[in-house]
């Protein structure tokens, strides 16, 4: 579904990391490494081991904090870290605009992280759950030279029913658990 904006309730944040090849091609490709919990990585066979500064031990997942690819200017072709931080928001979203909410995942990375960090930071400072309000998600179109892009806009609408908070919390924990459970390739089994 593609919508210009929608309303939803943020159930919670799942931090992740992803390392893509330095140059993306038209061909479908898999990440060189992925961290489903922002703590340990799952490197592929194409992982740039020498650039990472890691020593891989079979059966032991490498710690993201020890990897040099998350450091600034580690990317081989542009400024910034090669390994990108991702904020995955578990939301109940009204994508149809009819008032019915369904679970959805929104992933923010690179320039989109700023909006997500600012919005979620307000809840952290007040020690308030993000599901205490209904949130509006939208995009603002921009252009720099010939490059068209959009920046996310996240804003508060109204408060949610406090009687639903326990259910929102339980849904978030279930979604986070599912997303942070390592999967195996069916072909391997």
């Amino acid at each position: 579904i593609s919508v210009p904006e929608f309303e939803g309730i943020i159930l919670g944040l799942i931090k992740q990391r992803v390392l893509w090849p330095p140059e993306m091609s038209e061909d479908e490709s898999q990440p060189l490494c992925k961290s489903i919990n922002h703590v340990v990585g799952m490197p592929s066979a194409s992982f740039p081991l020498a650039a990472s500064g890691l020593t891989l031990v079979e059966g032991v997942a490498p710690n993201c904090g020890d990897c040099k690819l998350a450091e600034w200017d580690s990317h081989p072709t542009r400024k910034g870290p090669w390994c990108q931080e991702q904020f995955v928001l578990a939301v109940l979203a009204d994508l149809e605009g009819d008032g019915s909410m369904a679970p959805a995942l929104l992933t923010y990375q690179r320039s989109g992280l700023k909006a997500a960090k600012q919005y979620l930071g307000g809840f952290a400072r007040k020690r308030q759950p993000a599901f205490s309000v209904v949130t509006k998600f939208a995009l603002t179109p921009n252009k720099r030279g010939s490059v068209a892009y959009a920046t996310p806009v996240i804003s508060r609408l109204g408060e949610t029913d406090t009687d639903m908070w326990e259910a929102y919390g339980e849904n978030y924990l279930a979604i986070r658990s599912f997303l942070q459970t390592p999967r195996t390739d069916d072909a391997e089994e």
Side-chain angles (χ1 to χ4, degrees):
I1 292 179
S2 177
V3 295
E5 62 182 42
F6 66 93
E7 295 178 9
I9 298 168
I10 299 173
L11 300 176
L13 167 67
I14 299 105
K15 289 184 179 183
Q16 298 183 341
R17 299 194 74 83
V18 66
L19 179 73
W20 290 103
E23 297 295 328
M24 297 303 286
S25 67
E26 294 296 320
D27 299 333
E28 197 173 304
S29 66
Q30 296 295 315
L32 300 175
C33 187
K34 173 99 174 149
S35 173
I36 57 177
N37 62 7
H38 204 263
V39 177
V40 296
M42 296 182 296
S44 72
S46 305
F47 180 72
L49 186 59
S52 73
L54 295 172
T55 302
L56 297 182
V57 177
E58 190 172 333
V60 178
N63 188 316
C64 293
D66 297 333
C67 183
K68 293 180 180 176
L69 301 178
E71 296 174 4
W72 191 258
D73 281 343
S74 60
H75 197 284
T77 62
R78 65 172 185 263
K79 290 190 179 286
W82 190 354
C83 182
Q84 298 292 313
E85 182 177 35
Q86 294 181 318
F87 275 18
V88 179
L89 298 182
V91 299
L92 289 177
D94 179 10
L95 297 175
E96 303 289 335
D98 61 3
S100 63
M101 300 285 212
L105 299 173
L106 290 175
T107 302
Y108 292 90
Q109 63 185 22
R110 299 189 58 172
S111 61
L113 271 178
K114 181 178 179 182
K117 284 181 177 181
Q118 286 178 336
Y119 186 73
L120 295 173
F123 294 100
R125 283 188 295 278
K126 293 180 181 178
R127 298 187 187 279
Q128 181 182 40
F131 53 70
S132 62
V133 300
V134 177
T135 301
K136 180 179 175 182
F137 300 91
L139 293 172
T140 300
N142 292 302
K143 191 171 185 180
R144 179 175 289 152
S146 62
V147 178
Y149 64 98
T151 43
V153 178
I154 311 169
S155 54
R156 291 175 181 237
L157 293 177
E159 295 189 5
T160 59
D161 181 356
T162 57
D163 292 340
M164 294 298 297
W165 286 15
E166 185 176 349
Y168 294 153
E170 289 171 358
N171 276 297
Y172 164 66
L173 293 175
I175 291 169
R176 184 182 72 182
S177 175
F178 178 79
L179 291 178
Q180 292 182 336
T181 300
R183 307 282 183 269
T184 58
D185 186 6
D186 291 339
E188 292 177 4
E189 292 179 3

